[in-house]
Amino acid sequence: MSKIIPYTEQAFRLLFEGAQTLAQIECNGLRIDTDYVDRAIERVQNKIKRLLAELETHKDILGVWKKKYKGKTNFNSNEQLGSIMFEVLGFSSPEKTESGQWKTDEETLNKIDHPFVKDYLEIKKLKTTLSVNLRGLKREVVHGYLYPFFLLNSARTYRSSSEAINFQNIPIRDPAKARIVRRAFIPRPGRRLVENDYSGIEVRVAACLHKDPRMIEYIKDKTKDMHRDMAMKCYMLAQQEVSKNVRYCGKNMFVFPQFYGDWYIDCARSLWEAIEKMKLITVSGISLRKHLKDKGITKLGRLDPREPPRLGTFEYHIQQVEKWFWEEMFPAYAKWRKDWVQLYKKRGWLLTPTGFICQGYMGKNEIINYPIQGPAFHCLLWSLIELHRAIQKRKMKTLLVGQIHDSIVADVPDEELDEYVDLSQEIMVNRLMKTWDWIIVPIEIETEATPVDGSWVTKKAYESKRKEGFRRLKPQTPEWREYWHRHPSEQDAMIAFRKENFA
DNA sequence: AAACAGTGCGCG
DNA sequence: AAAGCGCGCACTGTTT
């Protein structure tokens, strides 16, 4: 009887060689400015202290809190916070968690009209930064270097994950937090940190599967912009009136959520709330609320799943946009999703284009996302293996030091900068597309680099200055794969070492 | 003291 | 009929 394994030979090799490459990367490690980390800890601690003192002025709330919980008072407790705000003080909130507790996340708390909330949330954020990103970082640093782990065995989608520290969730979207934390990551002396990102890799991998002609057109034609166009639809704007923030909302509150399987009720809510929260305006400077009013929309709607949206509400409008999005704009994508779910229901498992099998109980949204998320990462993993190999072959001093799902971080000597950037382009784009014939849309990367000796905060877009681009290595050195066969004595030495130390 | 569930939040 | 994908870490409060 043949043994069933959950992946093809090709997939096995990807994991096998990927694990080895990641192990090398883990050994390389990242340089950390430990003096800075100490200073930052000190500074953030002091700031928290100052803010806590200010928070004391909200006697109306803290008094009630201490009175209720006495010796058990804990300002970090969500349970206590929820009880004080929504039961004792009577602020109303319909938001409950799955297990029926009061929701106390940022979004919910921000709906409370009391200055206490803003101060409380600011402190909470700083505390997280301090304990996770500064103390947590410091705890893992050895002699000025950090060695995060990259795992291939924990994500259900065959993506990677990272721990000790988690290198894949370092703050970047909030500039204030990013500045505090990323300043700690520095290149080795005389070098730069260089980061190569795949642009929109999940969207491109998805297109390879559903082959929707309109989506492929968006990817191929650089004058087209899907997110801008969807922002136009959602907010009923002319193309030239879509500002940067409005496009951002179209992308992150409609397009991506829709791809992941969200529906109009939640999209309408976040798109609507963003207008106030982000103070969205048109390019001509008109508030989107006013703009929508001119278009006849003044209300969000009830957002009640049990009843159909009412004509003239924003909810109704977004429902129409959703319908248009899947039925008119990307019908082939919609059909693929339907067929894909059908196929899973019929036989109980899925095969990714990279040769992995996903099995077990899956809901609709998992079924349509797994074969995209995994392979998008596999493009990166394949590149990581090949890039690492090429760096060895060329005897470059560049060190690969980390990976964040769709980007590669390297510590690059200044004199190797352009060679590394061109090599990345060759491998991550040209060779990847040649290797996997299921990739039927163009793949692109973007490069960012810090100045020499500059911290990770200071990375900026970079382009290679070498006109001739990638240079082939000649003569070709033997394949890295054959290394152990060419060095049997080293193999023996390693086996002996393992016996002595790990027996 | 250690393990577990629940919540919240950082990233792609 | 169902209703946002994938992670890791810190913390609270309960159970073992």
Side-chain angles (χ1 to χ4, degrees):
Chain A
M1 203 169 78
S2 67
K3 189 164 181 235
I4 296 168
I5 55 165
Y7 31 70
T8 62
E9 174 78 21
Q10 194 192 81
F12 168 76
R13 290 179 70 89
L14 185 67
L15 284 194
F16 188 64
E17 294 179 17
Q20 296 176 57
T21 305
L22 289 169
Q24 302 275 336
I25 291 169
E26 288 165 2
C27 290
N28 288 340
L30 292 118
R31 187 169 176 228
I32 299 298
D33 187 340
T34 50
D35 289 340
Y36 167 77
V37 176
D38 288 333
R39 291 200 302 274
I41 287 174
E42 188 73 18
R43 216 180 318 134
V44 174
Q45 264 174 345
N46 288 335
K47 187 158 185 194
I48 291 172
K49 262 183 219 160
R50 274 206 312 278
L51 291 170
L52 277 173
E54 279 177 41
L55 199 71
E56 286 292 325
T57 60
H58 297 289
K59 294 223 187 327
D60 50 338
I61 290 178
L62 297 189
V64 172
W65 196 321
K66 286 174 193 159
K67 195 176 160 198
K68 170 158 184 185
Y69 288 99
K70 307 249 163 46
K72 288 185 179 163
T73 298
N74 184 346
F75 295 129
N76 296 323
S77 165
N78 289 325
E79 198 183 305
Q80 294 185 15
L81 176 65
S83 170
I84 294 297
M85 300 309 275
F86 303 123
E87 284 167 13
V88 182
L89 295 175
F91 291 103
S92 68
S93 169
E95 311 285 343
K96 291 280 185 79
T97 68
E98 206 172 317
S99 73
Q101 301 182 52
W102 294 108
K103 255 191 135 1
T104 54
D105 59 358
E106 189 178 359
E107 207 190 329
T108 308
L109 292 179
N110 268 328
K111 287 176 190 154
I112 297 173
D113 184 25
H114 193 292
F116 170 83
V117 171
K118 207 171 151 264
D119 297 343
Y120 181 89
L121 284 171
E122 194 185 354
I123 294 171
K124 199 178 165 195
K125 280 221 163 106
L126 279 174
K127 278 184 174 171
T128 306
T129 305
L130 179 65
S131 71
V132 179
N133 303 115
L134 293 174
R135 287 191 181 132
L137 171 65
K138 185 177 171 165
R139 190 159 59 226
E140 299 295 344
V141 174
V142 184
H143 300 150
Y145 286 84
L146 176 75
Y147 306 90
F149 292 102
F150 296 98
L151 318 184
L152 291 174
N153 63 347
S154 74
R156 288 177 53 107
T157 55
Y158 300 96
R159 230 198 195 184
S160 71
S161 68
S162 168
E163 63 182 25
I165 67 169
N166 182 350
F167 188 67
Q168 295 172 326
N169 73 345
I170 297 168
I172 190 165
R173 297 176 196 167
D174 174 349
K177 253 180 292 192
R179 236 180 300 116
I180 296 172
V181 179
R182 295 172 97 97
R183 165 65 182 82
F185 294 77
I186 53 174
R188 291 156 167 87
R191 293 171 169 243
R192 306 166 184 255
L193 291 175
V194 179
E195 195 167 343
N196 287 311
D197 280 62
Y198 277 115
S199 330
I201 191 69
E202 283 198 19
V203 169
R204 288 170 203 249
V205 166
C208 296
L209 302 183
H210 58 61
K211 303 187 177 69
D212 190 297
R214 242 184 231 102
M215 181 72 77
I216 293 175
E217 194 53 33
Y218 267 118
I219 292 167
K220 285 191 173 165
D221 185 346
K222 286 187 181 175
T223 64
K224 289 193 163 184
D225 183 342
M226 170 174 57
H227 299 306
R228 177 202 61 196
D229 290 357
M230 297 316 140
M232 284 166 59
K233 278 277 174 189
C234 290
Y235 290 121
M236 307 168 111
L237 289 165
Q239 192 187 110
Q240 65 275 12
E241 290 292 348
V242 177
S243 55
K244 205 180 164 192
N245 275 347
V246 170
R247 180 184 181 278
Y248 175 91
C249 291
K251 176 181 173 183
N252 293 304
M253 297 168 186
F254 186 78
V255 177
F256 280 140
Q258 286 290 330
F259 286 169
Y260 287 145
D262 207 355
W263 64 328
Y264 70 93
I265 288 196
D266 288 325
C267 290
R269 182 186 289 115
S270 36
L271 285 164
W272 184 261
E273 285 172 358
I275 297 175
E276 308 276 295
K277 224 180 290 174
M278 298 178 64
K279 301 190 183 7
L280 295 182
I281 51 171
T282 66
V283 171
S284 337
I286 300 164
S287 151
L288 281 202
R289 275 299 279 279
K290 177 162 186 330
H291 166 78
L292 286 171
K293 194 177 166 188
D294 296 343
K295 296 276 176 187
I297 293 180
T298 53
K299 282 188 184 139
L300 170 57
R302 307 266 288 271
L303 301 181
D304 186 342
R306 288 163 304 188
E307 62 185 52
R310 292 186 190 186
L311 194 69
T313 60
F314 190 63
E315 178 191 12
Y316 180 86
H317 167 63
I318 294 302
Q319 188 194 38
Q320 295 302 305
V321 175
E322 181 184 77
K323 199 166 144 57
W324 169 85
F325 187 77
W326 291 109
E327 288 176 14
E328 308 293 326
M329 193 70 216
F330 300 122
Y333 195 166
K335 181 173 188 311
W336 175 83
R337 289 162 63 133
K338 239 176 115 186
D339 293 348
W340 195 247
V341 172
Q342 267 317 107
L343 180 66
Y344 168 80
K345 287 190 173 167
K346 197 173 152 200
R347 65 179 190 190
W349 54 272
L350 303 173
L351 180 65
T352 72
T354 43
F356 293 88
I357 283 173
C358 304
Q359 52 194 338
Y361 292 108
M362 282 185 259
K364 166 190 155 250
N365 289 341
E366 292 165 323
I367 298 165
I368 59 176
N369 279 304
Y370 285 12
I372 296 168
Q373 188 184 95
F377 167 69
H378 297 146
C379 292
L380 188 96
L381 186 60
W382 184 89
S383 298
L384 208 60
I385 295 164
E386 295 301 324
L387 196 51
H388 182 251
R389 216 169 258 167
I391 288 166
Q392 311 297 310
K393 270 193 202 168
R394 289 163 181 255
K395 303 194 190 322
M396 289 168 73
K397 294 190 174 106
T398 289
L399 296 169
L400 299 183
V401 292
Q403 163 266 124
I404 314 168
H405 307 301
D406 66 354
S407 79
I408 295 173
V409 183
D411 186 310
V412 182
D414 192 31
E415 62 275 15
E416 286 181 11
L417 179 60
D418 285 342
E419 183 181 5
Y420 175 71
V421 173
D422 292 338
L423 187 63
S424 308
Q425 174 74 28
E426 174 67 13
I427 291 172
M428 294 175 77
V429 177
N430 305 350
R431 284 183 52 198
L432 176 80
M433 288 177 65
K434 264 186 232 160
T435 303
W436 280 339
D437 56 9
W438 57 269
I439 300 181
I440 54 154
V441 300
I443 298 294
E444 289 174 30
I445 61 169
E446 279 171 28
T447 300
E448 290 175 298
T450 69
V452 173
D453 298 325
S455 86
W456 209 7
V457 195
T458 62
K459 69 169 183 175
K460 288 205 173 64
Y462 180 83
E463 272 181 43
S464 168
K465 289 172 182 62
R466 295 200 312 192
K467 285 205 188 67
E468 67 276 25
F470 173 71
R471 265 190 294 241
R472 265 226 128 62
L473 196 65
K474 48 183 181 186
Q476 292 277 319
T477 50
E479 278 291 300
W480 176 86
R481 282 183 192 79
E482 292 158 14
Y483 181 85
W484 289 106
H485 300 292
R486 288 184 285 109
H487 301 275
S489 58
E490 264 184 65
Q491 203 173 354
D492 293 342
M494 181 56 80
I495 290 166
F497 176 81
R498 290 182 62 107
K499 271 192 186 148
E500 256 173 59
N501 295 281
F502 304 109

